[in-house]
Amino acid sequence: MNASQKLAAKNSEGKIICVGLDTDLNKIPDSLRSISNPILEFNKRIINATAEQAAAYKINFAFYEKFGSKGFDIIEQTIGLIPSDILIIADAKRGDIGNTSEMYARSVFEFFKCDAITVSPYMGFDSVQPFLRDDSKLVFILALTSNPGSEDFEKLILNDGSMVFQQVIKKALQWNENRNIGLVFGATKIEELKDNIALFGDLPVLLPGVGAQGGRLEDVLDVFKSADRLNLLVNVSRGIIYKSGKDDFDSAASAELEKMNQIVKKLLII
Amino acid sequence: MNASQKLAAKNSEGKIICVGLDTDLNKIPDSLRSISNPILEFNKRIINATAEQAAAYKINFAFYEKFGSKGFDIIEQTIGLIPSDILIIADAKRGDIGNTSEMYARSVFEFFKCDAITVSPYMGFDSVQPFLRDDSKLVFILALTSNPGSEDFEKLILNDGSMVFQQVIKKALQWNENRNIGLVFGATKIEELKDNIALFGDLPVLLPGVGAQGGRLEDVLDVFKSADRLNLLVNVSRGIIYKSGKDDFDSAASAELEKMNQIVKKLLII
């Protein structure tokens, strides 16, 4: 299955929650810290507990890169633990001049064998294009992000009255020849989501920001229900993986994900 | 010496060329490919041949990440080869929500011990701020980049008549409380450089794009001379490290860098 097919299959089963593996040594239970590779063990137990219910996993590269090559090893090993029918997103926010983005694409798609990546649009088409070549992958371009800083540049108003992030969406639709572009849109930006969802066309949407950042799953679902569309992933990281913070973190994560899936089933007619 | 001091010291010696270590296995001489770590050996010989004349080294993370953890090891080992008085820039174009940018800052500044990083401004202040905390480092924010895609979003015209990249420069000046912000400005964009250099204040400027991308060192120098200012680094990657493409790549790199330094001495009154 290619990336779009994996997403469609999970959505059709009523699964839209992406589990964010922002694994932080300071936030995992004390009992794990004495073993040889606590982060990998944490990820393994989270994946085992949630794989039946998750729509996707998102690996936040920053949390691993801070350990240098050891962190990259943990990413590689974590990816090896994820069942092959579940979408794996490299949350790496990459983007550079063409020949450099080409190398990032090789890293994420060929070396790590992820299904999808998040990319920053700032540098424009030739910074995004190398990620688009392989039509079996998905490329989530940052549109309006979940953080306070999204006001600084993403929401600047252009001379035609539109905002910068709306131009990103417009270009994303133009660049989508291989049908493998998606958008990142903050789950904390519900008003903007309502106002702009009609612009998204049928692009898949990755929505981070539910939980610790203040976004509410129910609010996101309402907007997608009103727009009568699926093709979405709502990412939850801290709200699932650190739900308990104790030794039962895996069963607590599973229970929280199950609760969210029930909300999805109730609110979203799939 | 902190990062700004390293840059100032080199500039005062008439050195402004940053050697870009975009080391690509496909472009290094055949004779190196049979040894155990050809990329590290290539970097070692380039550094040994150029350290006397270089103002800085820029490590393009993408070229190493495509090898996963092994690539991160090569970055770490390469950094260990660079003399401590020379600025090391992690060209990584990172940027994410606050708690994630914090992890990227730890990776680049604490794990890899680089002096400086390039960051993407798209996500705004809280995506940049974690990189700014350590005032001994330098943070080069993308303003107008050297690539064709810079037309897509960076040059969009806002409702006040300014362009997106000019707003980035304006914010960079506002955010510069720790005096550790710099700008990335494409050496291929000479007209825009002329028109905007007065907006830069005293921010250090990293200018990529000379050589393979079509920018000319002389044109950049003319603009800085007219503006009567230094505090700059002109990056050259392929134009130096692959100057010969044969076994004499290191002496060819040294000769090319020396030639550029002569141009700098002639054109820029330091």
Side-chain angles (χ1 to χ4, degrees), chain A residues 205-228:
Chain A
V205 192
L206 170 63
L207 300 116
V210 161
Q213 291 183 64
R216 288 182 69 246
L217 175 60
E218 292 83 346
D219 296 339
V220 172
L221 297 175
D222 276 348
V223 182
F224 276 76
K225 190 178 180 179
S226 298
D228 195 28

Short mmCIF file of all heavy atoms in Angstrom, two decimals, chain A residues 205-228:
data_model
loop_
_atom_site.label_atom_id
_atom_site.label_comp_id
_atom_site.label_asym_id
_atom_site.label_seq_id
_atom_site.Cartn_x
_atom_site.Cartn_y
_atom_site.Cartn_z
N VAL A 205 -5.12 16.23 5.31
CA VAL A 205 -4.77 17.27 6.28
C VAL A 205 -4.25 16.62 7.57
O VAL A 205 -4.90 15.74 8.12
CB VAL A 205 -5.98 18.17 6.62
CG1 VAL A 205 -5.52 19.40 7.40
CG2 VAL A 205 -6.73 18.59 5.36
N LEU A 206 -3.10 17.09 8.00
CA LEU A 206 -2.52 16.66 9.28
C LEU A 206 -2.72 17.81 10.26
O LEU A 206 -2.24 18.93 10.01
CB LEU A 206 -1.03 16.37 9.09
CG LEU A 206 -0.20 16.13 10.36
CD1 LEU A 206 -0.68 14.88 11.11
CD2 LEU A 206 1.29 15.98 10.00
N LEU A 207 -3.43 17.53 11.35
CA LEU A 207 -3.77 18.59 12.30
C LEU A 207 -3.11 18.34 13.65
O LEU A 207 -3.59 17.52 14.44
CB LEU A 207 -5.29 18.68 12.47
CG LEU A 207 -6.05 18.97 11.17
CD1 LEU A 207 -6.94 17.80 10.80
CD2 LEU A 207 -6.86 20.26 11.29
N PRO A 208 -2.01 19.02 13.93
CA PRO A 208 -1.40 18.90 15.25
C PRO A 208 -1.98 19.94 16.19
O PRO A 208 -2.64 20.89 15.73
CB PRO A 208 0.08 19.20 14.98
CG PRO A 208 0.08 20.03 13.75
CD PRO A 208 -1.23 19.87 13.04
N GLY A 209 -1.75 19.77 17.49
CA GLY A 209 -2.14 20.81 18.44
C GLY A 209 -3.26 20.42 19.38
O GLY A 209 -3.64 21.21 20.25
N VAL A 210 -3.80 19.19 19.26
CA VAL A 210 -4.82 18.74 20.21
C VAL A 210 -4.12 18.32 21.51
O VAL A 210 -3.09 17.66 21.48
CB VAL A 210 -5.64 17.56 19.63
CG1 VAL A 210 -6.37 16.78 20.73
CG2 VAL A 210 -6.63 18.08 18.60
N GLY A 211 -4.68 18.73 22.64
CA GLY A 211 -4.11 18.33 23.93
C GLY A 211 -3.25 19.43 24.53
O GLY A 211 -3.74 20.53 24.78
N ALA A 212 -1.97 19.13 24.72
CA ALA A 212 -1.06 20.06 25.42
C ALA A 212 -1.08 21.46 24.82
O ALA A 212 -0.93 22.45 25.53
CB ALA A 212 0.35 19.51 25.42
N GLN A 213 -1.28 21.57 23.51
CA GLN A 213 -1.27 22.89 22.87
C GLN A 213 -2.63 23.59 22.93
O GLN A 213 -2.75 24.73 22.49
CB GLN A 213 -0.82 22.78 21.41
CG GLN A 213 0.65 22.42 21.24
CD GLN A 213 1.03 22.42 19.76
OE1 GLN A 213 0.98 23.44 19.09
NE2 GLN A 213 1.39 21.25 19.26
N GLY A 214 -3.65 22.88 23.40
CA GLY A 214 -4.94 23.54 23.64
C GLY A 214 -6.04 23.26 22.63
O GLY A 214 -7.18 23.69 22.82
N GLY A 215 -5.72 22.57 21.54
CA GLY A 215 -6.76 22.25 20.56
C GLY A 215 -7.68 21.15 21.08
O GLY A 215 -7.29 20.33 21.91
N ARG A 216 -8.93 21.13 20.59
CA ARG A 216 -9.90 20.11 21.02
C ARG A 216 -10.31 19.25 19.83
O ARG A 216 -10.70 19.76 18.79
CB ARG A 216 -11.14 20.76 21.63
CG ARG A 216 -10.89 21.38 23.01
CD ARG A 216 -12.16 21.97 23.59
NE ARG A 216 -13.15 20.96 23.96
CZ ARG A 216 -14.34 20.80 23.38
NH1 ARG A 216 -14.71 21.59 22.40
NH2 ARG A 216 -15.17 19.83 23.78
N LEU A 217 -10.22 17.94 20.03
CA LEU A 217 -10.59 16.99 18.99
C LEU A 217 -12.01 17.25 18.48
O LEU A 217 -12.26 17.25 17.27
CB LEU A 217 -10.47 15.56 19.55
CG LEU A 217 -10.93 14.42 18.66
CD1 LEU A 217 -10.13 14.37 17.35
CD2 LEU A 217 -10.80 13.08 19.40
N GLU A 218 -12.94 17.49 19.42
CA GLU A 218 -14.33 17.68 19.04
C GLU A 218 -14.50 18.85 18.07
O GLU A 218 -15.31 18.79 17.13
CB GLU A 218 -15.21 17.92 20.29
CG GLU A 218 -15.34 16.72 21.22
CD GLU A 218 -14.18 16.57 22.20
OE1 GLU A 218 -13.12 17.23 22.00
OE2 GLU A 218 -14.31 15.79 23.15
N ASP A 219 -13.75 19.91 18.32
CA ASP A 219 -13.87 21.10 17.46
C ASP A 219 -13.39 20.81 16.03
O ASP A 219 -13.99 21.26 15.06
CB ASP A 219 -13.06 22.26 18.04
CG ASP A 219 -13.61 22.72 19.40
OD1 ASP A 219 -14.78 22.43 19.68
OD2 ASP A 219 -12.84 23.35 20.16
N VAL A 220 -12.30 20.07 15.94
CA VAL A 220 -11.78 19.70 14.61
C VAL A 220 -12.81 18.83 13.88
O VAL A 220 -13.12 19.06 12.70
CB VAL A 220 -10.45 18.92 14.74
CG1 VAL A 220 -10.01 18.37 13.38
CG2 VAL A 220 -9.37 19.80 15.35
N LEU A 221 -13.36 17.86 14.61
CA LEU A 221 -14.33 16.94 14.00
C LEU A 221 -15.56 17.69 13.49
O LEU A 221 -16.08 17.39 12.41
CB LEU A 221 -14.74 15.85 14.99
CG LEU A 221 -13.60 14.92 15.44
CD1 LEU A 221 -14.10 13.97 16.52
CD2 LEU A 221 -13.02 14.15 14.27
N ASP A 222 -16.02 18.66 14.29
CA ASP A 222 -17.18 19.45 13.87
C ASP A 222 -16.94 20.10 12.50
O ASP A 222 -17.82 20.09 11.64
CB ASP A 222 -17.45 20.58 14.89
CG ASP A 222 -18.28 20.10 16.05
OD1 ASP A 222 -18.84 18.98 15.95
OD2 ASP A 222 -18.36 20.83 17.05
N VAL A 223 -15.75 20.66 12.34
CA VAL A 223 -15.46 21.36 11.07
C VAL A 223 -15.42 20.37 9.91
O VAL A 223 -15.98 20.61 8.84
CB VAL A 223 -14.13 22.15 11.16
CG1 VAL A 223 -13.89 22.90 9.85
CG2 VAL A 223 -14.13 23.11 12.34
N PHE A 224 -14.77 19.23 10.12
CA PHE A 224 -14.68 18.25 9.03
C PHE A 224 -16.07 17.65 8.74
O PHE A 224 -16.38 17.36 7.58
CB PHE A 224 -13.65 17.16 9.35
CG PHE A 224 -12.24 17.59 8.97
CD1 PHE A 224 -11.54 18.49 9.74
CD2 PHE A 224 -11.65 17.12 7.80
CE1 PHE A 224 -10.26 18.92 9.38
CE2 PHE A 224 -10.37 17.53 7.42
CZ PHE A 224 -9.68 18.44 8.22
N LYS A 225 -16.87 17.48 9.78
CA LYS A 225 -18.23 16.95 9.56
C LYS A 225 -19.05 17.95 8.74
O LYS A 225 -19.72 17.56 7.78
CB LYS A 225 -18.90 16.68 10.91
CG LYS A 225 -20.20 15.92 10.78
CD LYS A 225 -20.80 15.63 12.13
CE LYS A 225 -22.11 14.88 11.97
NZ LYS A 225 -22.70 14.56 13.28
N SER A 226 -18.97 19.21 9.12
CA SER A 226 -19.70 20.24 8.38
C SER A 226 -19.25 20.30 6.92
O SER A 226 -20.04 20.59 6.02
CB SER A 226 -19.48 21.62 9.01
OG SER A 226 -19.97 21.62 10.33
N ALA A 227 -17.96 20.05 6.70
CA ALA A 227 -17.44 20.11 5.33
C ALA A 227 -17.67 18.78 4.60
O ALA A 227 -17.31 18.65 3.43
CB ALA A 227 -15.97 20.45 5.35
N ASP A 228 -18.21 17.80 5.33
CA ASP A 228 -18.52 16.49 4.75
C ASP A 228 -17.29 15.86 4.08
O ASP A 228 -17.36 15.42 2.94
CB ASP A 228 -19.67 16.64 3.73
CG ASP A 228 -20.27 15.28 3.37
OD1 ASP A 228 -20.22 14.37 4.21
OD2 ASP A 228 -20.78 15.14 2.23
#
